Protein backbone atom coordinates (compact mmCIF):
# COMPACT_ATOMS: atom_id res chain seq x y z
CA UNK A 1 0.00 0.00 0.00
CA UNK A 2 1.38 3.43 -0.79
CA UNK A 3 1.38 6.38 1.58
CA UNK A 4 -0.39 9.10 -0.45
CA UNK A 5 -3.62 10.59 0.91
CA UNK A 6 -6.45 8.12 0.49
CA UNK A 7 -8.66 8.00 -2.57
CA UNK A 8 -11.42 6.15 -0.69
CA UNK A 9 -12.20 6.11 3.00
CA UNK A 10 -15.00 4.10 4.53
CA UNK A 11 -15.53 5.06 8.15
CA UNK A 12 -17.57 2.78 10.35
CA UNK A 13 -19.84 1.84 7.44
CA UNK A 14 -22.81 -0.44 8.14
CA UNK A 15 -25.60 -1.37 5.77
CA UNK A 16 -29.06 -2.70 6.63
CA UNK A 17 -31.50 -4.04 4.09
CA UNK A 18 -35.24 -4.41 4.64
CA UNK A 19 -37.18 -3.35 7.70
CA UNK A 20 -39.04 -4.86 10.65
CA UNK A 21 -38.64 -8.61 10.90
CA UNK A 22 -37.15 -8.67 7.39
CA UNK A 23 -34.34 -6.34 8.38
CA UNK A 24 -30.87 -7.79 7.88
CA UNK A 25 -27.43 -6.39 8.51
CA UNK A 26 -25.35 -6.86 5.34
CA UNK A 27 -22.24 -4.90 6.38
CA UNK A 28 -21.08 -4.11 9.88
CA UNK A 29 -18.62 -1.40 10.91
CA UNK A 30 -16.38 -1.41 7.87
CA UNK A 31 -13.29 0.78 8.07
CA UNK A 32 -11.32 0.80 4.86
CA UNK A 33 -8.79 3.11 3.29
CA UNK A 34 -7.76 2.76 -0.36
CA UNK A 35 -4.75 4.71 -1.64
CA UNK A 36 -4.39 5.94 -5.23
CA UNK A 37 -3.16 3.17 -7.55
CA UNK A 38 -3.91 0.40 -5.10
CA UNK A 39 -5.31 -2.80 -6.64
CA UNK A 40 -7.60 -4.11 -3.93
CA UNK A 41 -9.18 -7.55 -4.25
CA UNK A 42 -12.12 -8.46 -2.05
CA UNK A 43 -12.70 -12.07 -1.05
CA UNK A 44 -15.34 -13.58 1.19
CA UNK A 45 -18.11 -16.15 1.39
CA UNK A 46 -21.16 -15.79 -0.83
CA UNK A 47 -23.63 -13.25 0.55
CA UNK A 48 -21.11 -11.59 2.88
CA UNK A 49 -21.70 -8.15 1.40
CA UNK A 50 -18.92 -7.76 -1.19
CA UNK A 51 -21.23 -6.31 -3.84
CA UNK A 52 -22.89 -4.11 -1.23
CA UNK A 53 -19.47 -2.70 -0.33
CA UNK A 54 -18.75 -2.05 -4.00
CA UNK A 55 -22.15 -0.41 -4.59
CA UNK A 56 -21.52 1.98 -1.68
CA UNK A 57 -18.15 2.99 -3.19
CA UNK A 58 -19.73 3.31 -6.65
CA UNK A 59 -22.39 5.58 -5.13
CA UNK A 60 -25.34 3.34 -6.05
CA UNK A 61 -26.23 2.98 -2.37
CA UNK A 62 -25.79 5.13 0.72
CA UNK A 63 -24.65 3.31 3.86
CA UNK A 64 -27.20 3.10 6.69
CA UNK A 65 -24.59 4.46 9.08
CA UNK A 66 -21.02 5.67 8.67
CA UNK A 67 -19.34 7.63 5.91
CA UNK A 68 -18.10 6.81 2.42
CA UNK A 69 -15.57 9.38 1.23
CA UNK A 70 -13.95 9.82 -2.21
CA UNK A 71 -11.04 12.26 -2.50
CA UNK A 72 -12.07 13.87 0.78
CA UNK A 73 -15.75 14.40 -0.19
CA UNK A 74 -18.79 12.27 0.75
CA UNK A 75 -19.91 9.98 -2.10
CA UNK A 76 -23.33 11.34 -3.12
CA UNK A 77 -24.11 9.10 -6.11
CA UNK A 78 -22.54 7.40 -9.12
CA UNK A 79 -20.29 9.46 -11.37
CA UNK A 80 -17.64 8.92 -14.04
CA UNK A 81 -14.79 9.15 -11.48
CA UNK A 82 -15.62 5.59 -10.45
CA UNK A 83 -16.35 3.27 -13.39
CA UNK A 84 -18.03 -0.09 -12.84
CA UNK A 85 -17.51 -3.39 -14.71
CA UNK A 86 -19.99 -6.19 -13.97
CA UNK A 87 -19.76 -9.94 -14.54
CA UNK A 88 -22.08 -9.68 -17.56
CA UNK A 89 -20.81 -6.90 -19.78
CA UNK A 90 -23.51 -4.28 -20.30
CA UNK A 91 -22.70 -3.13 -23.83
CA UNK A 92 -25.20 -1.28 -26.02
CA UNK A 93 -26.20 -3.82 -28.70
CA UNK A 94 -27.26 -1.10 -31.16
CA UNK A 95 -23.76 0.43 -31.16
CA UNK A 96 -20.66 -1.13 -32.71
CA UNK A 97 -17.49 -1.77 -30.70
CA UNK A 98 -15.93 1.65 -31.36
CA UNK A 99 -19.10 3.55 -30.49
CA UNK A 100 -19.53 1.54 -27.30
CA UNK A 101 -16.02 2.57 -26.22
CA UNK A 102 -16.55 6.18 -27.29
CA UNK A 103 -19.97 6.40 -25.62
CA UNK A 104 -18.85 8.24 -22.45
CA UNK A 105 -16.58 10.80 -24.16
CA UNK A 106 -19.34 11.39 -26.74
CA UNK A 107 -21.96 12.02 -24.04
CA UNK A 108 -19.53 14.43 -22.38
CA UNK A 109 -19.61 16.51 -25.57
CA UNK A 110 -16.05 15.95 -26.83
CA UNK A 111 -15.66 16.56 -30.56
CA UNK A 112 -15.74 13.58 -32.90
CA UNK A 113 -12.01 13.63 -33.61
CA UNK A 114 -11.20 13.47 -29.89
CA UNK A 115 -13.81 10.73 -29.29
CA UNK A 116 -12.24 8.70 -32.13
CA UNK A 117 -8.76 9.25 -30.74
CA UNK A 118 -9.81 8.08 -27.26
CA UNK A 119 -11.69 5.04 -28.62
CA UNK A 120 -8.76 4.01 -30.80
CA UNK A 121 -6.33 4.43 -27.91
CA UNK A 122 -8.26 2.12 -25.58
CA UNK A 123 -9.17 -0.36 -28.34
CA UNK A 124 -5.46 -0.59 -29.03
CA UNK A 125 -4.79 -1.20 -25.31
CA UNK A 126 -7.24 -4.10 -25.23
CA UNK A 127 -5.92 -5.48 -28.55
CA UNK A 128 -9.20 -4.94 -30.44
CA UNK A 129 -8.51 -2.02 -32.77
CA UNK A 130 -9.04 -4.35 -35.73
CA UNK A 131 -12.50 -5.26 -34.38
CA UNK A 132 -13.72 -1.70 -33.97
CA UNK A 133 -16.48 -1.92 -36.59
CA UNK A 134 -17.89 -5.21 -35.30
CA UNK A 135 -21.35 -5.49 -33.81
CA UNK A 136 -21.71 -6.63 -30.19
CA UNK A 137 -23.38 -9.91 -31.22
CA UNK A 138 -20.23 -10.85 -33.18
CA UNK A 139 -18.04 -10.82 -30.05
CA UNK A 140 -17.06 -13.69 -27.76
CA UNK A 141 -17.60 -13.38 -23.98
CA UNK A 142 -13.96 -12.43 -23.41
CA UNK A 143 -14.07 -9.82 -26.19
CA UNK A 144 -17.22 -8.31 -24.73
CA UNK A 145 -15.58 -8.02 -21.33
CA UNK A 146 -12.54 -6.35 -22.94
CA UNK A 147 -14.80 -3.82 -24.65
CA UNK A 148 -16.62 -3.22 -21.35
CA UNK A 149 -13.25 -2.48 -19.74
CA UNK A 150 -12.21 -0.15 -22.56
CA UNK A 151 -15.54 1.65 -22.30
CA UNK A 152 -14.98 2.32 -18.61
CA UNK A 153 -11.33 3.33 -19.20
CA UNK A 154 -12.37 5.79 -21.93
CA UNK A 155 -14.00 7.92 -19.23
CA UNK A 156 -10.60 8.25 -17.56
CA UNK A 157 -11.96 7.27 -14.12
CA UNK A 158 -9.70 7.53 -11.09
CA UNK A 159 -11.13 4.25 -9.91
CA UNK A 160 -12.42 1.07 -11.53
CA UNK A 161 -14.79 -1.17 -9.59
CA UNK A 162 -15.18 -4.72 -10.86
CA UNK A 163 -17.73 -7.24 -9.57
CA UNK A 164 -16.51 -10.71 -10.53
CA UNK A 165 -15.61 -9.46 -14.02
CA UNK A 166 -14.07 -12.76 -15.12
CA UNK A 167 -16.55 -15.11 -13.46
CA UNK A 168 -18.33 -16.07 -16.68
CA UNK A 169 -15.21 -16.75 -18.76
CA UNK A 170 -13.48 -20.06 -19.57
CA UNK A 171 -10.21 -20.79 -17.74
CA UNK A 172 -7.81 -19.81 -20.54
CA UNK A 173 -9.63 -16.59 -21.43
CA UNK A 174 -9.75 -15.80 -17.73
CA UNK A 175 -5.96 -16.12 -17.40
CA UNK A 176 -5.40 -13.88 -20.42
CA UNK A 177 -7.86 -11.34 -19.04
CA UNK A 178 -6.03 -11.30 -15.70
CA UNK A 179 -2.84 -10.36 -17.54
CA UNK A 180 -4.70 -7.68 -19.51
CA UNK A 181 -6.29 -6.22 -16.37
CA UNK A 182 -2.91 -6.07 -14.63
CA UNK A 183 -1.33 -4.38 -17.66
CA UNK A 184 -4.17 -1.87 -17.96
CA UNK A 185 -3.84 -1.04 -14.26
CA UNK A 186 -0.10 -0.49 -14.70
CA UNK A 187 -0.49 1.55 -17.89
CA UNK A 188 -3.42 3.76 -16.89
CA UNK A 189 -2.48 4.12 -13.21
CA UNK A 190 -6.07 3.68 -12.02
CA UNK A 191 -7.07 2.52 -8.59
CA UNK A 192 -8.91 -0.81 -8.75
CA UNK A 193 -11.31 -2.62 -6.44
CA UNK A 194 -12.16 -6.08 -7.72
CA UNK A 195 -14.46 -8.68 -6.21
CA UNK A 196 -13.55 -12.26 -6.97
CA UNK A 197 -14.22 -15.75 -5.62
CA UNK A 198 -10.88 -16.99 -6.92
CA UNK A 199 -8.10 -16.75 -4.32
CA UNK A 200 -5.32 -17.24 -6.92
CA UNK A 201 -6.79 -14.48 -9.06
CA UNK A 202 -6.89 -12.15 -6.06
CA UNK A 203 -3.34 -13.01 -5.02
CA UNK A 204 -1.89 -12.60 -8.48
CA UNK A 205 -3.65 -9.30 -9.22
CA UNK A 206 -4.08 -7.37 -5.99
CA UNK A 207 -1.40 -5.53 -4.07
CA UNK A 208 -3.94 -5.55 -1.25
CA UNK A 209 -6.39 -8.30 -0.35
CA UNK A 210 -9.37 -7.91 1.90
CA UNK A 211 -11.02 -10.95 3.40
CA UNK A 212 -14.57 -10.55 4.70
CA UNK A 213 -16.50 -12.66 7.19
CA UNK A 214 -19.84 -14.22 6.42
CA UNK A 215 -22.92 -12.02 6.87
CA UNK A 216 -22.89 -9.50 8.45
CA UNK A 217 -19.78 -8.73 6.44
CA UNK A 218 -16.81 -7.38 8.37
CA UNK A 219 -13.22 -7.08 7.23
CA UNK A 220 -11.44 -9.82 9.13
CA UNK A 221 -8.01 -9.64 7.55
CA UNK A 222 -6.08 -7.62 4.99
CA UNK A 223 -2.88 -8.63 3.20
CA UNK A 224 -0.29 -6.48 1.41
CA UNK A 225 1.22 -8.62 -1.35
CA UNK A 226 3.71 -8.08 -4.14
CA UNK A 227 2.94 -11.00 -6.48
CA UNK A 228 1.28 -8.68 -8.99
CA UNK A 229 4.46 -6.55 -9.17
CA UNK A 230 6.51 -9.73 -9.62
CA UNK A 231 4.25 -10.79 -12.49
CA UNK A 232 4.68 -7.40 -14.16
CA UNK A 233 8.44 -7.93 -14.13
CA UNK A 234 8.35 -11.33 -15.85
CA UNK A 235 7.85 -11.93 -19.55
CA UNK A 236 5.28 -14.65 -19.04
CA UNK A 237 3.29 -12.67 -16.43
CA UNK A 238 3.31 -15.59 -14.03
CA UNK A 239 3.59 -15.26 -10.30
CA UNK A 240 6.19 -17.26 -8.45
CA UNK A 241 4.16 -19.77 -6.44
CA UNK A 242 6.51 -20.24 -3.50
CA UNK A 243 5.82 -21.74 -0.07
CA UNK A 244 4.76 -18.35 1.35
CA UNK A 245 2.22 -18.00 -1.45
CA UNK A 246 0.74 -21.40 -0.60
CA UNK A 247 0.67 -20.60 3.12
CA UNK A 248 -1.21 -17.35 2.50
CA UNK A 249 -3.58 -19.04 0.06
CA UNK A 250 -4.42 -21.78 2.57
CA UNK A 251 -4.89 -19.24 5.34
CA UNK A 252 -7.32 -17.24 3.18
CA UNK A 253 -9.23 -20.40 2.22
CA UNK A 254 -9.49 -21.30 5.92
CA UNK A 255 -10.71 -17.81 6.76
CA UNK A 256 -13.38 -17.94 4.07
CA UNK A 257 -14.51 -21.46 4.87
CA UNK A 258 -14.40 -21.34 8.66
CA UNK A 259 -17.48 -20.40 10.63
CA UNK A 260 -16.67 -16.81 11.47
CA UNK A 261 -19.37 -15.86 13.91
CA UNK A 262 -16.91 -13.98 16.09
CA UNK A 263 -14.45 -12.51 13.67
CA UNK A 264 -11.11 -11.55 15.09
CA UNK A 265 -10.07 -7.93 15.08
CA UNK A 266 -8.58 -6.59 11.89
CA UNK A 267 -5.10 -7.79 11.19
CA UNK A 268 -2.71 -6.85 8.43
CA UNK A 269 -0.07 -9.20 7.10
CA UNK A 270 2.83 -8.26 4.92
CA UNK A 271 4.57 -10.77 2.73
N1 LIG B 1 -31.11 -4.64 -2.61
C1 LIG B 1 -31.15 -5.56 -1.64
N2 LIG B 1 -32.24 -5.71 -0.85
C2 LIG B 1 -32.27 -6.61 0.14
N3 LIG B 1 -31.25 -7.44 0.45
C3 LIG B 1 -30.13 -7.34 -0.30
C4 LIG B 1 -30.03 -6.41 -1.38
N4 LIG B 1 -28.81 -6.53 -1.94
C5 LIG B 1 -28.18 -7.51 -1.25
N5 LIG B 1 -28.97 -7.99 -0.27
C6 LIG B 1 -28.61 -9.02 0.70
O1 LIG B 1 -27.45 -8.58 1.40
C7 LIG B 1 -26.54 -9.67 1.60
C8 LIG B 1 -25.20 -9.33 0.96
O2 LIG B 1 -25.40 -9.34 -0.46
P1 LIG B 1 -24.21 -9.02 -1.48
O3 LIG B 1 -24.75 -9.18 -2.85
O4 LIG B 1 -23.61 -7.72 -1.12
O5 LIG B 1 -23.19 -10.20 -1.11
P2 LIG B 1 -21.97 -10.80 -1.96
O6 LIG B 1 -20.89 -11.09 -0.97
O7 LIG B 1 -21.62 -9.89 -3.08
O8 LIG B 1 -22.60 -12.14 -2.51
P3 LIG B 1 -22.12 -13.09 -3.73
O9 LIG B 1 -20.69 -13.45 -3.46
O10 LIG B 1 -23.02 -14.27 -3.63
O11 LIG B 1 -22.29 -12.31 -4.99
C9 LIG B 1 -27.21 -10.92 1.02
O12 LIG B 1 -27.86 -11.59 2.08
C10 LIG B 1 -28.22 -10.34 0.04
O13 LIG B 1 -29.34 -11.19 -0.10
Amino acid sequence: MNTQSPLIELRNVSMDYGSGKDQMLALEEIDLTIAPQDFVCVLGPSGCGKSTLMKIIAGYQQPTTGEAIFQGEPIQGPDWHRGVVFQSPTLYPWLNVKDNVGFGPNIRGLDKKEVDRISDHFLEQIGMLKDKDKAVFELSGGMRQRVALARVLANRPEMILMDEPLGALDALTRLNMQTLIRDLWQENKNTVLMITHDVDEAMSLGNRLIVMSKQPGKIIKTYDLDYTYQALKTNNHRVNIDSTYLEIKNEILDLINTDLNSPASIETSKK
Side-chain angles (χ1 to χ4, degrees), residues 96-103 112 116 119-120 123 131-134:
N96 66 13
V97 165
K98 178 167 75 72
D99 292 340
N100 263 286
V101 176
F103 185 81
K112 188 178 173 318
D116 285 349
S119 312
D120 283 1
L123 283 167
D131 304 299
K132 66 181 184 179
D133 296 320
K134 284 194 172 144

Side-chain angles (χ1 to χ4, degrees), residues 199-214:
V199 179
D200 286 306
E201 184 166 280
M203 290 184 68
S204 77
L205 285 179
N207 69 318
R208 291 186 74 205
L209 255 66
I210 290 173
V211 185
M212 292 176 65
S213 67
K214 73 175 196 184

Side-chain angles (χ1 to χ4, degrees), residues 22 107 119 121 129 143 150 226 231 266:
D22 293 329
I107 287 281
S119 312
H121 173 74
L129 195 52
M143 288 165 102
D226 68 0
I266 298 171

Side-chain angles (χ1 to χ4, degrees), residues 115-143:
V115 173
D116 285 349
R117 194 193 63 73
I118 293 171
S119 312
D120 283 1
H121 173 74
F122 288 105
L123 283 167
E124 174 97 61
Q125 277 198 351
I126 60 162
M128 285 184 61
L129 195 52
K130 61 185 181 323
D131 304 299
K132 66 181 184 179
D133 296 320
K134 284 194 172 144
V136 170
F137 71 83
E138 292 179 87
L139 307 177
S140 68
M143 288 165 102

Side-chain angles (χ1 to χ4, degrees), residues 25 27 51 67 76 86 108 166 182 214 223 252:
L25 185 59
L27 291 178
S51 300
E67 290 178 292
Q76 310 275 15
F86 295 100
R108 289 196 354 246
L166 311 183
R182 189 189 293 109
K214 73 175 196 184
Y223 295 84
I252 292 172

